[in-house]
Amino acid sequence: MEITLPPETTLQPSTQAFLDGSPKKLFINNEWVSAANGETFQTLNPATGEILAEAALAGQEDVDRAVRAAREAFESDAWRQMSGEDRGQLLWRLADLIDEHADELAELETLDNGKPLRVSRKGDIPFAAKHFRYYAGWAGKLEGATVPVSYPNQFVYTLREPVGVVGLIIPWNFPLLMAAWKLSPALACGNTVILKPAEETPLTALRLGELALEAGFPPGVINILTGPGEPTGAAIAAHPGIDKISFTGSTEVGRKILEASAKSNLKKVNIELGGKSPNVIFADADPAKAIKGAIWAIFSTAGQECVAGSRLFVERPVYEQVLEGLAGEAQKIRVGNGFAQKVHIGPLVSERQLERVIGYIDEGRRAGARIVTGGERLGGEFERGYFLAPTIFSSEDDELSIMREEVFGPVAVVTAFDDWDELVQRANDTRYGLAAGVWTQNLSKAHRFAQAVHAGTVWINSYGLFDAAAPFGGYKESGFGREMGKEALDLYTNSKTVWVGL
Ligand code: NAI
Ligand code: MG
């Protein structure tokens, strides 16, 4: 394994030790094991194209084994009889371990995903720890209700019970953070889990498995299987021994997860899928704040965010001024290896993703959309990695694929609008409904837009903020179910109604 870093940068000894060249294993029943058939796959550093590590490729037999371990753990006294408070202590201990190992986890995240080290270190990793702490607090507070009914002499109450064995399938854009989004409520509610990280970014999930062992989770409570969508993800989605799947990723795979559920055991599903989020700048917005906000709405994580503000609607009177401001800001963005100083955005996660995004850019160009800035893959010192210049299109054609489809790259389309009805109609003219943004000094207008837009999250004079306490999820083809906050507890519990004849 060779890891080329920018000059004057080094890795923590613990990061180097983790990437010692030996193949990474599967985490089943608190043990590290190879895949039953011995298969492996490679994970790359998207900044250099170099191989970082080889990891076990889990097949059907491994999934069966993990499901057995998770089922046994779910039925075991060690987990079943554990009080919510004690489960909370375990989650809290894991959060502390994440914080203690934050430098190393941040390095692994940046190597595997490409995002700037500062973002991993100040964002993804500490936020992951916060999720475990937030749900540690809920673990002992899962209350049912007493229910007044219309019969005399009947006492009715509800219990909240864990769903059982839960499969967690996550993408590569926020590897550790999304693992935390799903693991922390699932475990707080008393489920046992099988986590499958994306094949592009398995490393931090595997390190998390080591930390979970250290934290003291009983065997089988947390199992981690690495491998691609097929066969690994598909085997989890179709497994009759799994009670529920929580999935984040593409709409296409979201459909497959639902089909697999329908065809196997009707396992419960929550899905968080793609987006094509409208971000609106009214003429009365603070221009500097709106421009900066719109820039990071689309370019943060190199545009590889489900909530990316990829359709930017600007009120006509300020359109030219805003467009010029956006182009100026986009050109100031420093793209580079995530380990280099002062880099704002890293590469795309993979060559496949880069090609996809370039395909959309070419299509937009051919269809007549005007490129205001960017549009090119970066060459020279960057040519081995998957780097793309921040790209802004100007267009008024809502039928273009760059206006309709999730590009998942640093590509914004800016378009002018004239009045309210037109804005609302066009903003909602999408099969997605994940998020939206609005920039205006008129708060009444902002709240009216928040009500009119079909989206699960709306940011007013801000964009892209997340918190463990704030529910998040989609409308329309962006999925269903709400992760984070109190609402996520509903995803990972069944409500049981008990009738008592007095
Ligand atoms: P994907 O949906 O294929 O991958 C997400 C996860 O699903 C990965 O862990 C993958 O291994 C797994 N998976 C793939 N096929 C599966 C199957 N048949 N059964 C079970 N699990 C399966 O997404 P991909 O291919 O990495 O990216 C393609 C596009 O998806 C992106 O360009 C973007 O538009 C969208 N996407 C959206 C994300 C979001 O945050 N909502 C995250 C990642 C991708
Ligand atoms: Mg990788």
Side-chain angles (χ1 to χ4, degrees), residues 43-46 52 111-113 199-202 349:
T43 183
L44 306 180
N45 176 355
L52 287 169
L111 285 170
D112 218 3
N113 165 282
E199 57 272 38
E200 292 84 354
T201 53
V349 76

Side-chain angles (χ1 to χ4, degrees), residues 6 36 69 104 128 152 157 200 230 248 273 286 289 329 331 347 352-353 381 413-414 421 433 443 464 478 487:
E104 173 194 343
Y157 64 94
E200 292 84 354
E230 314 250 358
T248 300
L273 310 172
D286 176 325
K289 282 195 183 134
E329 290 295 326
Q331 285 155 13
R352 184 173 73 110
Q353 198 58 23
E381 59 171 310
V413 186
V414 191
D421 290 342
L443 273 184
S478 291
E487 293 189 30

Side-chain angles (χ1 to χ4, degrees), residues 170-172 196 199 229 233 247 250 273 306 352-353 356 406:
I170 57 171
W172 39 259
K196 193 198 88 62
E199 57 272 38
F247 171 76
S250 61
L273 310 172
C306 43
R352 184 173 73 110
Q353 198 58 23
R356 241 180 95 97
E406 180 172 59

